[in-house]
Amino acid sequence: MTTMIVERNREAGTATARIPGPAAGPVVAVFGQRSRVGALPQHLPSGWSMRPLTELADVRPGELVLFNGASAEDVRQARAVLPRASRIVVLTDEWAPAELVAAVLTAGADVCVRGGHPAILAGHLVACRRRQLSERWAALDLTR
């Protein structure tokens, strides 16, 4: 079923119908090799999108940040620049040493995923988005 919105043209006094586009879904801002996450869109929920970035300054509020092969310093730098509510996900090689995983998590990454199937990474991104939304709702001041 499609919902139409009727708009009135004030000057002409006529009504026109338009079908609204889908609401913009969550965006995953991707840093690093896109080839490693090429199959990821197939595993993300409908309405999600990905966009490649090279500069932290280009991250928009509310976007999930995905680093491919980030170091602890990359994560520290991102935490210093991005809003506190930003979610940072790091994708490492499947055989990354535990020290690297611990270092990126200690530096401020919300999640560190070792290689593997894109569906696993998609699941972590969805979970990060849910936490992001739940924190937004929890922060509402309902006494106003």
Side-chain angles (χ1 to χ4, degrees):
M1 179 170 143
T2 303
T3 304
M4 288 201 279
I5 297 174
V6 177
E7 295 180 333
R8 284 228 159 281
N9 182 332
R10 289 184 187 198
E11 288 125 28
T14 60
T16 58
R18 69 177 174 86
I19 300 172
V27 176
V28 180
V30 181
F31 289 90
Q33 297 175 335
R34 287 189 304 173
S35 61
R36 289 186 64 198
V37 293
L40 182 59
Q42 300 165 17
H43 299 280
L44 291 171
S46 176
W48 283 53
S49 61
M50 292 175 36
R51 67 185 194 105
L53 294 179
T54 57
E55 299 292 326
L56 285 172
D58 295 333
V59 175
R60 297 176 188 145
E63 289 183 328
L64 299 167
V65 178
L66 173 61
F67 283 105
N68 285 319
S71 67
E73 185 54 36
D74 294 331
V75 175
R76 262 190 227 83
Q77 199 172 22
R79 273 289 164 226
V81 173
L82 298 174
R84 183 161 174 74
S86 296
R87 295 286 178 241
I88 298 175
V89 177
V90 175
L91 177 63
T92 65
D93 292 327
E94 195 168 344
W95 304 108
E99 293 80 13
L100 174 62
V101 174
V104 296
L105 291 170
T106 301
D110 295 285
V111 177
C112 183
V113 180
R114 284 186 172 146
H117 198 278
I120 294 170
L121 178 57
H124 284 289
L125 289 165
V126 169
C128 280
R129 177 66 175 171
R130 286 184 181 149
R131 284 192 297 276
Q132 190 179 44
L133 293 174
S134 69
E135 287 177 6
R136 186 183 315 164
W137 284 105
L140 285 179
D141 183 5
L142 299 177
T143 60
R144 288 187 173 179

